[in-house]
Amino acid sequence: MSHVDVPKWFERSRLGCTWSKDSNWMGFVAVSNNKESQRIGRRDIVVSWRGTVAPTEWLTDLKAKLERFGSKNVKVQHGFLSIYKSKDKSTRYNKSCASEQVMQELDRLVNFFRGRGEMVSLTLTGHSLALLNAYEAEISFSDVFINVISFGAPRVGNLAFREKLNELGVKTLRVVNKQDIVPKLPGILFNKILHKFNPIMQRLNCVYRHVGTQLKLDKCRSPYLKDDTDFSGHHNLELYLGKNCDGFLSRKAKFRRNARRGLALVNKSSDMLIEELTIPEFWYQLPYKGLVLNKCCRWVKPGREPEDIPSPFSSELSSHFATSMST
């Protein structure tokens, strides 16, 4: 779920009843196959959440007000919680929120594999929503091992949120790039100032806190990356996974030049690789920019099945428009 703004006139029109401002792909659920499950000794269910993409999601993420989440003192950032919990029963695809959808699927999978006598674990990965999901999952499945791996994640909640996750036994690895500004948010100035005061000030529940163990990477140690101040590039997931995380061995060891992840992927949606590599910047695009050749040998946009359209017209409106056009 993520907000997509539409014009006010559109919302007020009859079309507004079929459109959802909160309809966006946010991630997927996967399960380890038999071979991998045998190797690790359990059936691992993975929930992968994507990060912030749409401009309106960035605006929502900047809403730094803390809002209650579950227990009395536990609070999380309003913007993240809004994306995680938003729903609209009048729409086709958002009758239930992202939280309800993922928890329903996890409940189904956990019970299914437990019914077969298998040990089950949950691995949640992504940005900020992975922690919110982990909190709910641990409360619902208290005897299931849950771990979180986040990349470039900001501070999500307050001290009570962090302590509650620790109390529940959620294990979190927080991978951050030293040059990435997002993990320093929210409270890039306020948190640093309070950190210099006494321990009493640091335990205020109105202050954001990170969760878990930090693995800090430094992109300047990679011989393949430009030495510039591209803020969006420093937050790029391919930068984290490719010539930064994959090439990292330890703080003292040199950068691993034979990293397995493809070097060109870093420039898939950025311009972070050095010029000497001659890999074009922002090189990824859909074949023929999404157009297909139809049976009349004309290039057109591909058709979509009705169930794949995020905001389809209702049958009533479709017939109304068809009648209007025919007259």
Side-chain angles (χ1 to χ4, degrees):
M1 299 289 187
S2 62
H3 294 284
V4 179
D5 286 342
V6 294
K8 292 294 182 183
W9 65 263
F10 189 90
E11 292 182 26
R12 291 192 295 267
S13 71
R14 295 183 65 189
L15 302 181
C17 65
T18 62
W19 176 269
S20 172
K21 291 169 55 179
D22 305 312
S23 184
N24 244 323
W25 178 86
M26 289 300 295
F28 62 86
V29 180
V31 181
S32 59
N33 59 25
N34 292 335
K35 182 178 180 180
E36 179 64 12
S37 298
Q38 185 176 8
R39 187 186 70 85
I40 64 178
R42 62 185 185 276
R43 184 72 64 171
D44 193 39
I45 302 171
V46 177
V47 182
S48 179
W49 294 90
R50 72 161 173 82
T52 303
V53 176
T56 48
E57 291 172 2
W58 281 105
L59 293 175
T60 302
D61 289 352
L62 292 174
K63 296 177 181 178
K65 180 180 70 174
L66 284 165
E67 188 172 333
R68 182 177 171 180
F69 183 50
S71 302
K72 182 178 180 181
N73 294 322
V74 174
K75 295 182 178 181
V76 297
Q77 202 247 32
H78 169 75
F80 302 143
L81 187 61
S82 174
I83 293 174
Y84 188 60
K85 290 289 188 177
S86 61
K87 64 180 177 178
D88 186 350
K89 294 191 176 182
S90 66
T91 63
R92 178 175 179 179
Y93 291 96
N94 295 106
K95 296 183 186 300
S96 59
C97 62
S99 166
E100 293 168 343
Q101 292 176 39
V102 72
M103 290 304 299
Q104 180 181 359
E105 181 64 9
L106 288 179
D107 183 65
R108 184 186 73 83
L109 290 172
V110 169
N111 290 330
F112 173 77
F113 289 111
R114 277 178 169 173
R116 298 191 347 180
E118 298 186 41
M119 184 180 294
V120 179
S121 63
L122 298 181
T123 298
L124 310 174
T125 183
H127 197 242
S128 51
L129 301 187
L131 283 173
L132 301 183
N133 192 187
Y135 180 87
E136 286 193 322
E138 187 57 59
I139 292 176
S140 299
F141 316 114
S142 57
D143 56 343
V144 173
F145 175 75
I146 298 178
N147 67 99
V148 177
I149 304 174
S150 67
F151 297 91
R155 300 181 180 102
V156 176
N158 63 356
L159 178 65
F161 178 66
R162 182 178 74 179
E163 291 182 340
K164 187 64 177 178
L165 282 173
N166 291 338
E167 177 188 325
L168 292 170
V170 175
K171 303 299 181 184
T172 304
L173 176 63
R174 188 169 53 86
V175 184
V176 301
N177 178 20
K178 181 180 178 181
Q179 290 76 21
D180 188 359
I181 193 174
V182 174
K184 301 177 177 64
L185 301 172
I188 186 171
L189 296 177
F190 187 58
N191 278 61
K192 284 187 175 295
I193 292 173
L194 286 181
H195 186 72
K196 297 182 182 297
F197 285 89
N198 57 54
I200 297 177
M201 295 293 289
Q202 294 180 32
R203 293 193 62 80
L204 290 174
N205 260 328
C206 61
V207 180
Y208 283 92
R209 286 286 180 264
H210 272 305
V211 177
T213 302
Q214 175 180 276
L215 173 60
K216 181 179 283 189
L217 308 174
D218 185 356
K219 70 104 180 176
C220 291
R221 298 189 62 184
S222 171
Y224 306 113
L225 299 175
K226 292 180 179 178
D227 185 17
D228 58 13
T229 55
D230 183 348
F231 293 114
S232 62
H234 293 156
H235 189 59
N236 190 308
L237 181 60
E238 287 297 345
L239 183 74
Y240 271 88
L241 297 178
K243 297 296 131 181
N244 208 348
C245 188
D246 196 14
F248 177 83
L249 293 175
S250 70
R251 290 183 178 180
K252 297 182 179 180
K254 291 184 178 181
F255 187 86
R256 183 163 70 101
R257 290 178 176 269
N258 62 338
R260 292 168 294 178
R261 193 169 179 84
L263 184 66
L265 288 172
V266 175
N267 266 13
K268 179 180 179 181
S269 58
S270 70
D271 183 19
M272 297 296 293
L273 293 174
I274 57 176
E275 301 294 339
E276 289 80 355
L277 295 173
T278 65
I279 295 175
E281 70 277 9
F282 301 95
W283 55 261
Y284 178 78
Q285 66 175 22
L286 292 172
Y288 308 108
K289 295 191 175 181
L291 297 180
V292 295
L293 195 64
N294 68 9
K295 60 182 180 181
C296 298
C297 294
R298 293 180 179 178
W299 290 98
V300 296
K301 289 185 177 180
R304 300 177 68 183
E305 297 296 329
E307 60 268 22
D308 294 332
I309 302 175
S311 53
F313 295 128
S314 65
S315 56
E316 177 187 354
L317 289 174
S318 296
S319 60
H320 170 75
F321 278 109
T323 304
S324 300
M325 291 180 69
S326 62
T327 58

